[in-house]
Amino acid sequence: MNTESQNQASPATVRLDTLAQGELQWLVPGFIPRGQICLLAGEGGVGKSSIACDIASSISTGKPCALSPTAGNNTPGTVLILNGEDSLAVILGPKLARFGADLSRIH
């Protein structure tokens, strides 16, 4: 008897007919959906980190960001940044601080 296969958890699945349909909400209209995973990709030096820091600062403080200056007065939220390029202590943390982010809300 193969006990290894018996101890493995099955993947969790959801039937789509059991989900309540909702409407997409935008953080930056037409570009960045609210509450969704978003990837910023591009050549080096084009401003991906600056855009990410501006958006993260906006979410963490509830204030508008440069990409969506009319979207503001929101409840501050928590941000998860997955970063494989910039140093957290040397580059990303100080840049977020310059953008006015609430660093206690950014992970």
Side-chain angles (χ1 to χ4, degrees):
M1 184 178 283
N2 186 351
T3 57
E4 183 178 327
S5 63
Q6 291 175 341
N7 292 333
Q8 291 180 351
S10 298
T13 62
V14 176
R15 283 190 8 228
L16 295 181
D17 66 340
T18 65
L19 296 177
Q21 293 186 1
E23 189 172 321
L24 190 59
Q25 296 180 357
W26 294 97
L27 179 65
V28 178
F31 292 101
I32 300 175
R34 183 180 297 276
Q36 305 295 316
I37 295 173
C38 188
L39 174 68
L40 295 177
E43 296 291 327
V46 298
K48 297 179 302 292
S49 294
S50 293
I51 290 170
C53 287
D54 182 43
I55 293 167
S57 174
S58 171
I59 294 169
S60 72
T61 61
K63 297 177 183 174
C65 70
L67 293 174
S68 187
T70 59
N73 301 320
N74 296 307
T75 303
T78 301
V79 178
L80 173 64
I81 296 177
L82 301 176
N83 174 43
E85 188 174 316
D86 296 324
S87 164
L88 297 177
V90 176
I91 297 174
L92 202 54
K95 187 178 277 194
L96 283 162
R98 285 193 303 275
F99 274 90
D102 179 348
L103 298 179
S104 71
R105 294 182 165 276
I106 300 180
H107 302 266

